Amino acid sequence: MLIDFEDKDLETTIKKDDICFVTFSAMAWCKPCVNLHPIMQKLSDEFKDKAKFYHADIDSKAINFSSSANIRGVPTTVCFRAGQESKRVVGGLPEQKMRDFIKENL
């Protein structure tokens, strides 16, 4: 399940999760973000027993978090371990490449 992230949730989610993937996007104007969203929904279901998955919109609910995470382009997917970034990938990757990124970071 892909969970909508809000700045106010940082302390109770990302920092407490053993491992999670956060996809930063701008759904209002970013076509690659819109294309990646259903892929991340599918992969979040596929890997639901191994990690949590969040969607963070940089224009609305995750403005502060995206800034503190140094997000400079969207979409960007970041793997966090106990609140610390371990790896990131930038761009709207095809499904198999995104799946490979997730597998490599589990």
Side-chain angles (χ1 to χ4, degrees):
M1 178 171 75
L2 192 58
I3 303 163
D4 281 332
F5 175 86
E6 295 184 32
D7 281 332
K8 67 180 179 64
D9 299 328
L10 181 60
E11 297 297 323
T12 59
T13 57
I14 309 297
K15 290 186 177 181
K16 295 200 182 227
D17 293 334
D18 291 333
I19 184 167
C20 67
F21 294 87
V22 180
T23 301
F24 294 90
S25 68
M27 298 294 280
W29 54 267
C30 173
K31 182 68 171 165
C33 298
V34 172
N35 292 338
L36 182 59
H37 194 73
I39 292 170
M40 292 309 295
Q41 286 177 318
K42 179 179 179 180
L43 295 175
S44 69
D45 288 339
E46 185 176 325
F47 293 100
K48 67 183 174 200
D49 296 332
K50 299 185 186 285
K52 290 204 177 167
F53 291 81
Y54 298 94
H55 172 258
D57 194 307
I58 66 164
D59 287 332
S60 61
K61 298 178 181 179
I63 296 168
N64 295 328
F65 184 38
S66 61
S67 178
S68 67
N70 294 314
I71 301 303
R72 301 289 179 245
V74 288
T76 296
T77 301
V78 180
C79 175
F80 289 92
R81 295 181 178 278
Q84 299 298 312
E85 180 178 336
S86 63
K87 191 83 171 182
R88 75 171 53 194
V89 64
V90 179
L93 299 181
E95 183 177 328
Q96 188 56 50
K97 290 200 180 273
M98 188 58 73
R99 182 180 285 109
D100 291 343
F101 171 74
I102 293 167
K103 284 182 178 179
E104 290 168 8
N105 290 284
L106 286 175

XYZ file of all heavy atoms in Angstrom:
845
model
N 0.837 -1.174 0.000
C 0.000 0.000 0.000
C 0.890 1.248 0.000
O 1.821 1.353 0.780
C -0.900 0.000 1.236
C -1.753 1.224 1.325
S -3.011 1.174 2.606
C -2.021 1.438 4.057
N 0.584 2.145 -0.887
C 1.299 3.414 -0.998
C 0.610 4.432 -0.097
O -0.570 4.729 -0.265
C 1.297 3.878 -2.451
C 2.201 5.021 -2.829
C 3.647 4.719 -2.508
C 2.044 5.332 -4.312
N 1.334 4.954 0.890
C 0.780 5.840 1.900
C 1.122 7.286 1.563
O 2.277 7.598 1.277
C 1.351 5.479 3.292
C 1.062 4.023 3.623
C 0.807 6.413 4.364
C 1.906 3.468 4.756
N 0.119 8.168 1.613
C 0.380 9.595 1.410
C 1.111 10.146 2.624
O 0.656 9.981 3.757
C -0.927 10.367 1.201
C -1.464 10.230 -0.207
O -0.664 10.030 -1.136
O -2.690 10.314 -0.381
N 2.233 10.783 2.377
C 3.057 11.327 3.451
C 2.774 12.808 3.627
O 2.606 13.541 2.662
C 4.548 11.135 3.123
C 5.453 11.770 4.128
C 5.808 11.089 5.266
C 5.909 13.070 3.953
C 6.620 11.683 6.219
C 6.723 13.669 4.894
C 7.072 12.971 6.030
N 2.750 13.251 4.879
C 2.637 14.671 5.206
C 3.781 15.030 6.138
O 4.221 14.215 6.937
C 1.306 14.958 5.898
C 0.107 14.715 5.005
C -1.196 15.099 5.669
O -1.191 16.046 6.488
O -2.205 14.458 5.365
N 4.257 16.270 6.050
C 5.370 16.725 6.886
C 5.176 16.384 8.363
O 6.104 15.964 9.040
C 5.570 18.241 6.750
C 6.314 18.628 5.479
O 7.117 17.812 4.981
O 6.090 19.746 4.998
N 3.968 16.535 8.858
C 3.698 16.300 10.273
C 3.909 14.840 10.688
O 4.020 14.537 11.868
C 2.279 16.744 10.633
C 1.190 15.916 9.988
C -0.194 16.435 10.398
C -1.306 15.655 9.760
N -1.385 14.269 10.147
N 3.993 13.932 9.709
C 4.131 12.504 10.002
C 5.575 12.020 10.102
O 5.810 10.851 10.408
C 3.436 11.668 8.915
C 1.948 11.955 8.823
O 1.346 12.274 9.878
O 1.398 11.863 7.720
N 6.534 12.890 9.868
C 7.933 12.459 9.799
C 8.380 11.697 11.044
O 8.968 10.623 10.941
C 8.853 13.660 9.559
C 10.338 13.339 9.438
C 10.610 12.387 8.282
C 11.139 14.618 9.271
N 8.118 12.220 12.199
C 8.580 11.584 13.437
C 7.904 10.249 13.698
O 8.487 9.366 14.328
C 8.355 12.519 14.632
C 9.137 13.820 14.567
C 10.650 13.621 14.591
O 11.124 12.729 15.297
O 11.350 14.369 13.886
N 6.679 10.092 13.237
C 5.931 8.858 13.531
C 6.000 7.829 12.413
O 5.492 6.724 12.573
C 4.453 9.183 13.817
O 3.889 9.836 12.680
C 4.322 10.054 15.049
N 6.618 8.172 11.291
C 6.676 7.220 10.178
C 8.119 6.934 9.775
O 8.708 5.969 10.244
C 5.881 7.728 8.963
O 6.380 9.004 8.563
C 4.408 7.830 9.268
N 8.673 7.761 8.935
C 9.990 7.535 8.337
C 11.055 7.217 9.387
O 11.815 6.275 9.243
C 10.452 8.755 7.515
C 9.383 9.196 6.517
C 11.783 8.479 6.819
C 9.016 8.226 5.460
N 11.096 7.981 10.452
C 12.130 7.785 11.469
C 11.916 6.523 12.289
O 12.846 6.042 12.931
C 12.225 9.010 12.376
C 12.802 10.213 11.651
C 13.035 11.363 12.576
C 13.691 12.517 11.815
N 13.967 13.649 12.686
N 10.708 5.962 12.260
C 10.425 4.755 13.044
C 10.430 3.488 12.204
O 10.478 2.390 12.745
C 9.103 4.908 13.773
C 9.168 6.020 14.795
C 8.102 5.884 15.825
C 8.229 7.074 16.754
N 8.192 6.788 18.108
N 10.360 3.637 10.894
C 10.344 2.465 10.015
C 11.750 1.897 9.862
O 12.709 2.648 9.664
C 9.818 2.834 8.622
C 8.344 3.221 8.637
O 7.611 2.759 9.534
O 7.943 3.981 7.740
N 11.864 0.575 9.943
C 13.168 -0.056 9.705
C 13.662 0.272 8.309
O 14.807 0.647 8.113
C 13.079 -1.569 9.884
C 12.862 -1.971 11.325
O 13.262 -1.212 12.225
O 12.293 -3.053 11.545
N 12.788 0.089 7.341
C 13.124 0.414 5.955
C 11.872 0.906 5.254
O 10.788 0.360 5.439
C 13.736 -0.793 5.208
C 14.170 -0.401 3.803
C 12.792 -1.962 5.186
C 15.050 -1.408 3.125
N 12.045 1.970 4.479
C 10.919 2.481 3.702
C 11.440 3.166 2.442
O 12.613 3.528 2.348
C 10.055 3.426 4.518
S 10.839 4.973 4.963
N 10.542 3.308 1.505
C 10.831 3.996 0.246
C 9.867 5.159 0.129
O 8.660 4.995 0.293
C 10.663 3.042 -0.937
C 11.660 1.929 -0.946
C 11.419 0.751 -0.254
C 12.862 2.063 -1.619
C 12.347 -0.282 -0.244
C 13.804 1.040 -1.618
C 13.537 -0.132 -0.928
N 10.404 6.336 -0.139
C 9.590 7.537 -0.292
C 9.774 8.046 -1.713
O 10.904 8.311 -2.136
C 10.000 8.636 0.707
C 9.127 9.873 0.517
C 9.929 8.130 2.141
N 8.671 8.167 -2.424
C 8.711 8.750 -3.760
C 8.237 10.186 -3.657
O 7.090 10.456 -3.312
C 7.836 7.956 -4.743
O 8.311 6.616 -4.796
C 7.885 8.571 -6.134
N 9.155 11.103 -3.930
C 8.853 12.531 -3.945
C 8.381 12.884 -5.354
O 9.033 12.514 -6.343
C 10.099 13.347 -3.603
C 10.581 13.139 -2.201
C 11.491 12.142 -1.909
C 10.121 13.951 -1.165
C 11.952 11.943 -0.613
C 10.573 13.762 0.133
C 11.485 12.757 0.414
N 7.274 13.584 -5.437
C 6.738 13.916 -6.753
C 5.967 15.227 -6.709
O 5.770 15.811 -5.642
C 5.828 12.795 -7.253
O 4.660 12.734 -6.472
N 5.544 15.655 -7.888
C 4.697 16.841 -8.046
C 3.609 16.452 -9.037
O 3.764 16.629 -10.239
C 5.520 18.020 -8.542
N 2.550 15.875 -8.512
C 1.516 15.298 -9.359
C 0.775 16.336 -10.209
O 0.243 16.001 -11.257
C 0.517 14.522 -8.500
C 1.137 13.352 -7.751
S 1.736 12.041 -8.819
C 0.198 11.215 -9.164
N 0.771 17.578 -9.793
C 0.023 18.609 -10.515
C 0.661 18.981 -11.855
O -0.043 19.372 -12.788
C -0.133 19.856 -9.653
N 1.976 18.863 -11.959
C 2.631 19.340 -13.180
C 3.708 18.412 -13.747
O 4.257 18.678 -14.813
C 3.239 20.714 -12.938
C 4.170 20.789 -11.744
C 3.833 21.151 -10.474
C 5.567 20.487 -11.727
N 4.942 21.084 -9.650
C 6.028 20.680 -10.399
C 6.491 20.066 -12.684
C 7.346 20.476 -10.019
C 7.815 19.864 -12.294
C 8.221 20.070 -10.974
N 4.013 17.316 -13.084
C 5.114 16.440 -13.508
C 4.576 15.156 -14.139
O 4.097 14.266 -13.442
C 5.992 16.129 -12.289
S 7.269 14.894 -12.596
N 4.657 15.055 -15.452
C 4.148 13.871 -16.175
C 4.884 12.591 -15.762
O 4.238 11.569 -15.542
C 4.243 14.118 -17.682
C 3.718 12.991 -18.516
C 2.219 12.841 -18.392
C 1.731 11.832 -19.416
N 0.396 11.365 -19.164
N 6.228 12.593 -15.634
C 6.891 11.371 -15.163
C 6.423 10.947 -13.763
O 6.357 9.756 -13.466
C 8.376 11.738 -15.172
C 8.498 12.817 -16.197
C 7.216 13.598 -16.079
N 6.067 11.908 -12.922
C 5.545 11.592 -11.584
C 4.209 10.874 -11.689
O 3.951 9.889 -10.988
C 5.373 12.861 -10.749
S 6.904 13.762 -10.449
N 3.351 11.397 -12.566
C 2.036 10.791 -12.779
C 2.199 9.368 -13.317
O 1.487 8.451 -12.897
C 1.188 11.660 -13.733
C -0.096 10.960 -14.135
C 0.897 13.010 -13.098
N 3.150 9.174 -14.221
C 3.384 7.846 -14.795
C 3.958 6.874 -13.774
O 3.660 5.678 -13.817
C 4.318 7.939 -15.997
C 3.689 8.655 -17.166
O 2.471 8.755 -17.285
N 4.526 9.195 -18.040
N 4.790 7.366 -12.866
C 5.432 6.501 -11.874
C 4.472 6.093 -10.758
O 4.625 5.017 -10.180
C 6.655 7.207 -11.269
C 7.470 6.415 -10.257
C 8.015 5.119 -10.871
C 8.601 7.266 -9.702
N 3.483 6.901 -10.477
C 2.588 6.653 -9.344
C 1.936 5.261 -9.367
O 2.005 4.541 -8.365
C 1.545 7.759 -9.239
C 0.805 7.766 -7.949
N 1.378 8.181 -6.765
C -0.455 7.380 -7.646
C 0.497 8.054 -5.791
N -0.628 7.574 -6.304
N 1.304 4.832 -10.475
C 0.703 3.489 -10.465
C 1.750 2.372 -10.353
O 1.470 1.306 -9.784
C -0.067 3.407 -11.782
C 0.435 4.523 -12.620
C 1.007 5.563 -11.707
N 2.942 2.618 -10.848
C 4.022 1.635 -10.708
C 4.375 1.471 -9.241
O 4.501 0.350 -8.733
C 5.256 2.054 -11.537
C 4.944 1.976 -13.032
C 6.477 1.203 -11.166
C 5.994 2.582 -13.927
N 4.497 2.586 -8.535
C 4.824 2.519 -7.111
C 3.681 1.918 -6.308
O 3.915 1.203 -5.323
C 5.211 3.892 -6.574
C 6.526 4.416 -7.138
S 7.914 3.247 -7.011
C 8.100 3.139 -5.234
N 2.446 2.151 -6.719
C 1.311 1.508 -6.045
C 1.413 -0.003 -6.188
O 1.241 -0.742 -5.214
C -0.013 2.007 -6.625
C -0.363 3.407 -6.193
C -1.635 3.910 -6.840
O -1.878 3.708 -8.025
N -2.445 4.593 -6.040
N 1.709 -0.463 -7.373
C 1.835 -1.899 -7.626
C 2.997 -2.489 -6.827
O 2.856 -3.538 -6.186
C 2.036 -2.137 -9.125
C 2.196 -3.588 -9.495
C 2.373 -3.753 -10.992
C 2.545 -5.217 -11.352
N 2.723 -5.395 -12.790
N 4.149 -1.822 -6.869
C 5.325 -2.347 -6.167
C 5.152 -2.292 -4.654
O 5.656 -3.156 -3.940
C 6.582 -1.590 -6.608
C 6.964 -1.793 -8.084
C 8.138 -0.906 -8.445
C 7.272 -3.250 -8.375
N 4.430 -1.308 -4.171
C 4.190 -1.235 -2.722
C 3.348 -2.426 -2.263
O 3.553 -2.938 -1.163
C 3.523 0.080 -2.335
O 2.200 0.153 -2.810
N 2.443 -2.875 -3.097
C 1.672 -4.083 -2.773
C 2.546 -5.329 -2.866
O 2.462 -6.225 -2.033
C 0.473 -4.223 -3.710
C -0.616 -3.209 -3.426
O -0.659 -2.670 -2.291
O -1.425 -2.938 -4.332
N 3.392 -5.358 -3.871
C 4.266 -6.510 -4.085
C 5.262 -6.711 -2.930
O 5.563 -7.835 -2.543
C 5.030 -6.313 -5.405
C 5.893 -7.478 -5.813
C 6.540 -7.244 -7.170
O 5.917 -6.612 -8.057
O 7.685 -7.700 -7.350
N 5.775 -5.610 -2.388
C 6.802 -5.684 -1.344
C 6.275 -5.253 0.033
O 7.054 -4.894 0.901
C 8.000 -4.811 -1.729
C 8.753 -5.317 -2.922
C 8.551 -4.755 -4.172
C 9.646 -6.375 -2.803
C 9.248 -5.222 -5.283
C 10.340 -6.849 -3.906
C 10.141 -6.279 -5.150
N 4.973 -5.323 0.235
C 4.360 -4.803 1.468
C 4.857 -5.489 2.737
O 4.835 -4.892 3.807
C 2.839 -4.890 1.391
C 2.305 -6.299 1.367
C 0.805 -6.318 1.222
C 0.343 -7.754 1.054
N -0.953 -7.834 0.465
N 5.328 -6.713 2.640
C 5.824 -7.424 3.822
C 7.287 -7.120 4.128
O 7.803 -7.558 5.154
C 5.643 -8.930 3.643
C 4.180 -9.326 3.545
O 3.332 -8.605 4.114
O 3.873 -10.346 2.897
N 7.947 -6.375 3.254
C 9.379 -6.117 3.419
C 9.708 -4.663 3.744
O 10.741 -4.373 4.325
C 10.123 -6.552 2.170
C 9.979 -8.048 1.887
C 10.823 -8.448 0.709
C 10.596 -9.880 0.316
N 11.188 -10.844 1.162
N 8.833 -3.743 3.339
C 9.100 -2.310 3.545
C 7.792 -1.533 3.470
O 6.793 -2.040 2.965
C 10.074 -1.792 2.487
N 7.848 -0.298 3.940
C 6.715 0.610 3.785
C 7.022 1.544 2.620
O 8.186 1.835 2.329
C 6.483 1.403 5.061
C 5.959 0.535 6.170
C 5.210 1.354 7.172
C 4.656 0.404 8.214
N 4.174 1.107 9.372
N 5.962 2.023 1.987
C 6.092 2.880 0.818
C 5.249 4.129 1.007
O 4.083 4.048 1.381
C 5.635 2.131 -0.440
C 6.556 1.014 -0.819
C 6.474 -0.220 -0.192
C 7.516 1.197 -1.793
C 7.331 -1.252 -0.521
C 8.377 0.169 -2.138
C 8.286 -1.050 -1.507
N 5.863 5.276 0.731
C 5.198 6.561 0.907
C 5.255 7.375 -0.373
O 6.220 7.296 -1.132
C 5.863 7.376 2.026
C 5.794 6.711 3.369
C 6.838 5.918 3.828
C 4.678 6.864 4.186
C 6.784 5.291 5.063
C 4.613 6.241 5.428
C 5.662 5.465 5.860
O 5.599 4.848 7.081
N 4.231 8.184 -0.566
C 4.195 9.157 -1.648
C 4.226 10.537 -1.001
O 3.390 10.853 -0.144
C 2.916 8.995 -2.476
C 2.750 10.080 -3.463
N 1.879 11.133 -3.273
C 3.366 10.314 -4.641
C 1.966 11.958 -4.299
N 2.858 11.489 -5.136
N 5.194 11.361 -1.380
C 5.355 12.692 -0.787
C 5.279 13.743 -1.891
O 6.172 13.830 -2.735
C 6.696 12.778 -0.059
N 4.209 14.525 -1.881
C 4.033 15.576 -2.885
C 4.791 16.827 -2.435
O 4.466 17.412 -1.401
C 2.552 15.886 -3.083
C 2.313 16.711 -4.327
O 2.958 17.780 -4.471
O 1.499 16.302 -5.162
N 5.775 17.224 -3.217
C 6.655 18.342 -2.830
C 5.954 19.697 -2.882
O 6.454 20.668 -2.335
C 7.930 18.394 -3.699
C 7.579 18.726 -5.147
C 8.710 17.088 -3.587
C 8.762 19.158 -5.975
N 4.812 19.760 -3.550
C 4.099 21.025 -3.685
C 3.015 21.227 -2.636
O 2.479 22.326 -2.514
C 3.442 21.132 -5.069
C 4.451 21.374 -6.167
O 5.510 21.957 -5.885
O 4.174 20.970 -7.311
N 2.683 20.182 -1.897
C 1.585 20.363 -0.948
C 1.909 19.819 0.437
O 2.217 20.566 1.345
C 0.295 19.736 -1.488
O 0.464 18.351 -1.690
N 1.896 18.515 0.601
C 1.966 17.937 1.937
C 3.369 17.644 2.447
O 3.543 17.364 3.627
C 1.143 16.652 1.977
C -0.325 16.888 1.689
C -1.096 15.607 1.695
C -2.561 15.863 1.376
N -3.314 14.639 1.347
N 4.366 17.682 1.583
C 5.727 17.312 2.002
C 6.755 18.376 1.633
O 7.887 18.069 1.269
C 6.109 15.969 1.387
N 6.371 19.604 1.748
C 7.249 20.711 1.360
C 8.522 20.741 2.212
O 9.635 20.809 1.691
C 6.500 22.057 1.449
C 5.350 22.081 0.440
C 7.449 23.222 1.210
C 4.383 23.226 0.634
N 8.386 20.680 3.516
C 9.550 20.749 4.404
C 10.432 19.508 4.299
O 11.655 19.611 4.275
C 9.107 20.958 5.856
C 8.430 22.291 6.051
O 8.753 23.270 5.401
N 7.454 22.323 6.940
N 9.816 18.336 4.244
C 10.583 17.095 4.161
C 11.372 17.031 2.859
O 12.539 16.639 2.842
C 9.665 15.892 4.304
C 10.366 14.564 4.320
C 11.588 14.397 4.956
C 9.795 13.473 3.704
C 12.229 13.160 4.978
C 10.421 12.232 3.727
C 11.644 12.080 4.358
N 10.757 17.438 1.757
C 11.470 17.399 0.480
C 12.653 18.355 0.484
O 13.716 18.045 -0.054
C 10.527 17.700 -0.688
O 9.961 18.976 -0.566
N 12.498 19.478 1.131
C 13.599 20.431 1.240
C 14.730 19.861 2.101
O 15.905 19.910 1.722
C 13.092 21.740 1.828
O 14.144 22.653 1.975
N 14.399 19.294 3.246
C 15.430 18.740 4.135
C 16.099 17.509 3.535
O 17.242 17.203 3.859
C 14.844 18.406 5.511
O 13.924 17.343 5.422
N 15.400 16.819 2.623
C 15.977 15.649 1.961
C 16.754 16.036 0.699
O 17.224 15.167 -0.040
C 14.879 14.641 1.616
N 16.884 17.333 0.448
C 17.616 17.844 -0.717
C 17.089 17.307 -2.050
O 17.860 16.932 -2.926
C 19.113 17.552 -0.584
C 19.730 18.312 0.557
O 19.486 19.496 0.715
N 20.510 17.626 1.371
N 15.778 17.308 -2.184
C 15.162 16.868 -3.431
C 15.278 18.005 -4.434
O 14.787 19.105 -4.200
C 13.677 16.475 -3.214
C 13.571 15.351 -2.175
C 13.026 16.085 -4.533
C 14.355 14.097 -2.494
N 15.958 17.745 -5.531
C 16.205 18.772 -6.546
C 15.492 18.498 -7.862
O 15.433 19.357 -8.731
C 17.703 18.907 -6.815
C 18.496 19.276 -5.584
C 18.217 20.720 -5.193
N 18.947 21.074 -3.996
C 18.395 21.379 -2.833
N 17.095 21.361 -2.700
N 19.120 21.696 -1.796
N 14.990 17.282 -8.013
C 14.265 16.909 -9.214
C 13.242 15.849 -8.870
O 13.432 15.087 -7.924
N 12.164 15.827 -9.618
C 11.128 14.831 -9.380
C 10.821 14.091 -10.671
O 10.999 14.648 -11.744
C 9.841 15.477 -8.807
C 10.037 15.920 -7.389
C 9.335 16.619 -9.665
N 10.412 12.850 -10.552
C 10.286 12.082 -9.326
C 11.646 11.614 -8.798
O 12.555 11.352 -9.574
C 9.423 10.882 -9.726
C 9.703 10.696 -11.187
C 9.963 12.075 -11.737
N 11.740 11.537 -7.487
C 12.911 10.981 -6.812
C 12.408 9.981 -5.785
O 11.521 10.305 -5.001
C 13.727 12.073 -6.099
O 14.254 12.979 -7.078
C 14.881 11.476 -5.302
N 12.968 8.783 -5.812
C 12.605 7.764 -4.829
C 13.807 7.525 -3.937
O 14.912 7.278 -4.428
C 12.160 6.453 -5.511
O 11.036 6.749 -6.355
C 11.753 5.412 -4.478
N 13.578 7.622 -2.628
C 14.653 7.494 -1.646
C 14.358 6.318 -0.723
O 13.237 6.164 -0.246
C 14.789 8.785 -0.803
C 15.914 8.657 0.210
C 15.016 9.993 -1.702
N 15.384 5.520 -0.495
C 15.302 4.440 0.484
C 15.836 4.973 1.812
O 16.942 5.520 1.860
C 16.124 3.244 0.021
S 16.195 1.916 1.244
N 15.039 4.833 2.863
C 15.443 5.239 4.206
C 15.525 4.013 5.104
O 14.674 3.129 5.026
C 14.429 6.215 4.817
C 14.426 7.576 4.196
C 13.570 7.884 3.150
C 15.273 8.567 4.670
C 13.554 9.148 2.588
C 15.276 9.841 4.110
C 14.410 10.125 3.071
N 16.544 3.979 5.949
C 16.682 2.949 6.977
C 16.711 3.667 8.319
O 17.632 4.431 8.576
C 17.958 2.145 6.778
C 17.952 1.335 5.495
C 19.239 0.529 5.341
N 19.190 -0.260 4.141
C 18.585 -1.435 4.033
N 17.973 -1.951 5.073
N 18.577 -2.102 2.892
N 15.680 3.423 9.126
C 15.551 4.065 10.435
C 15.733 5.586 10.335
O 16.425 6.189 11.137
C 16.531 3.453 11.423
N 15.133 6.171 9.322
C 15.165 7.615 9.170
C 16.361 8.189 8.452
O 16.417 9.380 8.191
N 17.325 7.355 8.100
C 18.529 7.817 7.410
C 18.508 7.370 5.947
O 18.254 6.198 5.666
C 19.788 7.261 8.087
C 19.948 7.689 9.528
C 20.089 9.194 9.668
O 20.861 9.824 8.968
N 19.322 9.779 10.578
N 18.810 8.293 5.062
C 18.846 7.935 3.647
C 19.968 6.940 3.385
O 21.093 7.125 3.832
C 19.063 9.176 2.784
C 19.120 8.857 1.313
C 19.282 10.060 0.415
O 18.926 11.189 0.815
O 19.778 9.864 -0.712
N 19.640 5.882 2.630
C 20.677 4.931 2.256
C 20.950 4.938 0.757
O 22.066 4.681 0.330
C 20.324 3.514 2.728
O 19.160 3.049 2.097
N 19.933 5.274 -0.053
C 20.124 5.278 -1.503
C 18.977 6.042 -2.141
O 17.878 6.082 -1.598
C 20.151 3.836 -2.009
C 20.591 3.649 -3.412
C 22.084 3.628 -3.530
C 22.441 3.205 -4.947
N 23.824 3.093 -5.176
N 19.231 6.634 -3.301
C 18.170 7.316 -4.040
C 18.322 7.094 -5.529
O 19.415 6.833 -6.027
C 18.105 8.802 -3.704
C 19.178 9.649 -4.312
C 18.964 11.151 -4.146
N 18.752 11.560 -2.777
C 18.279 12.754 -2.419
N 17.999 13.655 -3.330
N 18.106 13.059 -1.155
N 17.200 7.236 -6.210
C 17.173 7.168 -7.659
C 16.283 8.315 -8.140
O 15.245 8.595 -7.548
C 16.678 5.788 -8.167
C 15.250 5.523 -7.760
C 16.848 5.654 -9.649
N 16.743 8.995 -9.197
C 16.009 10.144 -9.725
C 15.474 9.785 -11.101
O 16.183 9.219 -11.927
C 16.918 11.391 -9.816
C 16.162 12.572 -10.395
C 17.490 11.742 -8.453
N 14.215 10.124 -11.322
C 13.609 9.920 -12.631
C 12.472 8.923 -12.591
O 12.326 8.157 -11.648
N 11.686 8.965 -13.632
C 10.556 8.054 -13.767
C 10.997 6.753 -14.411
O 10.838 6.563 -15.610
N 11.568 5.885 -13.609
C 12.079 4.616 -14.123
C 10.949 3.685 -14.539
O 9.870 3.709 -13.943
C 12.921 3.920 -13.056
C 14.163 4.646 -12.555
C 14.881 3.790 -11.523
C 15.088 4.993 -13.698
N 11.217 2.811 -15.512
C 10.231 1.789 -15.854
C 10.061 0.815 -14.681
O 10.910 0.735 -13.795
C 10.834 1.075 -17.069
C 12.092 1.763 -17.404
C 12.384 2.782 -16.364
N 8.976 0.075 -14.708
C 8.623 -0.799 -13.587
C 9.750 -1.760 -13.193
O 10.065 -1.889 -12.004
C 7.361 -1.593 -13.930
C 6.881 -2.465 -12.798
C 5.587 -3.185 -13.123
O 4.751 -2.627 -13.874
O 5.409 -4.296 -12.607
N 10.357 -2.434 -14.143
C 11.387 -3.422 -13.790
C 12.617 -2.764 -13.159
O 13.188 -3.288 -12.211
C 11.802 -4.251 -15.003
C 12.716 -5.410 -14.657
C 12.116 -6.358 -13.614
O 10.989 -6.807 -13.740
N 12.867 -6.658 -12.558
N 13.004 -1.615 -13.645
C 14.160 -0.920 -13.053
C 13.844 -0.456 -11.630
O 14.692 -0.511 -10.755
C 14.609 0.237 -13.931
C 15.260 -0.224 -15.225
C 16.110 0.871 -15.813
C 16.745 0.410 -17.094
N 18.002 -0.263 -16.894
N 12.617 -0.005 -11.410
C 12.223 0.395 -10.058
C 12.168 -0.825 -9.138
O 12.603 -0.772 -7.988
C 10.881 1.123 -10.084
C 10.512 1.731 -8.753
S 11.712 2.923 -8.099
C 11.440 4.301 -9.164
N 11.668 -1.929 -9.640
C 11.640 -3.176 -8.880
C 13.070 -3.588 -8.504
O 13.331 -3.981 -7.361
C 10.964 -4.287 -9.676
C 10.856 -5.615 -8.924
C 10.171 -6.700 -9.733
N 8.734 -6.463 -9.777
C 8.061 -6.077 -10.852
N 8.683 -5.890 -12.003
N 6.753 -5.865 -10.793
N 13.991 -3.478 -9.452
C 15.395 -3.824 -9.180
C 15.984 -2.908 -8.108
O 16.704 -3.372 -7.234
C 16.226 -3.719 -10.471
C 15.868 -4.788 -11.488
O 15.229 -5.797 -11.128
O 16.218 -4.600 -12.674
N 15.669 -1.613 -8.167
C 16.142 -0.659 -7.158
C 15.645 -1.070 -5.771
O 16.404 -1.057 -4.795
C 15.669 0.759 -7.521
C 15.926 1.774 -6.435
C 17.196 2.254 -6.192
C 14.883 2.246 -5.644
C 17.438 3.182 -5.182
C 15.110 3.178 -4.638
C 16.391 3.647 -4.412
N 14.378 -1.418 -5.700
C 13.813 -1.831 -4.404
C 14.475 -3.092 -3.905
O 14.915 -3.163 -2.744
C 12.285 -2.011 -4.522
C 11.619 -0.650 -4.768
C 11.715 -2.696 -3.272
C 10.168 -0.734 -5.195
N 14.603 -4.092 -4.756
C 15.230 -5.367 -4.352
C 16.656 -5.155 -3.868
O 17.074 -5.770 -2.896
C 15.216 -6.359 -5.520
C 13.869 -6.982 -5.788
C 13.995 -7.967 -6.934
C 12.699 -8.657 -7.224
N 12.836 -9.592 -8.354
N 17.411 -4.304 -4.556
C 18.805 -4.045 -4.184
C 18.921 -3.378 -2.818
O 19.973 -3.452 -2.172
C 19.481 -3.140 -5.220
C 19.725 -3.807 -6.544
C 20.111 -2.818 -7.639
O 20.340 -1.618 -7.339
O 20.156 -3.238 -8.810
N 17.857 -2.715 -2.380
C 17.924 -1.944 -1.137
C 17.124 -2.560 0.009
O 17.020 -1.955 1.071
C 17.475 -0.524 -1.410
C 18.495 0.212 -2.237
O 19.538 0.612 -1.721
N 18.254 0.350 -3.519
N 16.596 -3.726 -0.186
C 15.883 -4.394 0.902
C 16.865 -5.091 1.832
O 17.921 -5.488 1.487
C 14.879 -5.406 0.359
C 13.632 -4.789 -0.253
C 12.765 -5.877 -0.879
C 12.826 -4.021 0.776
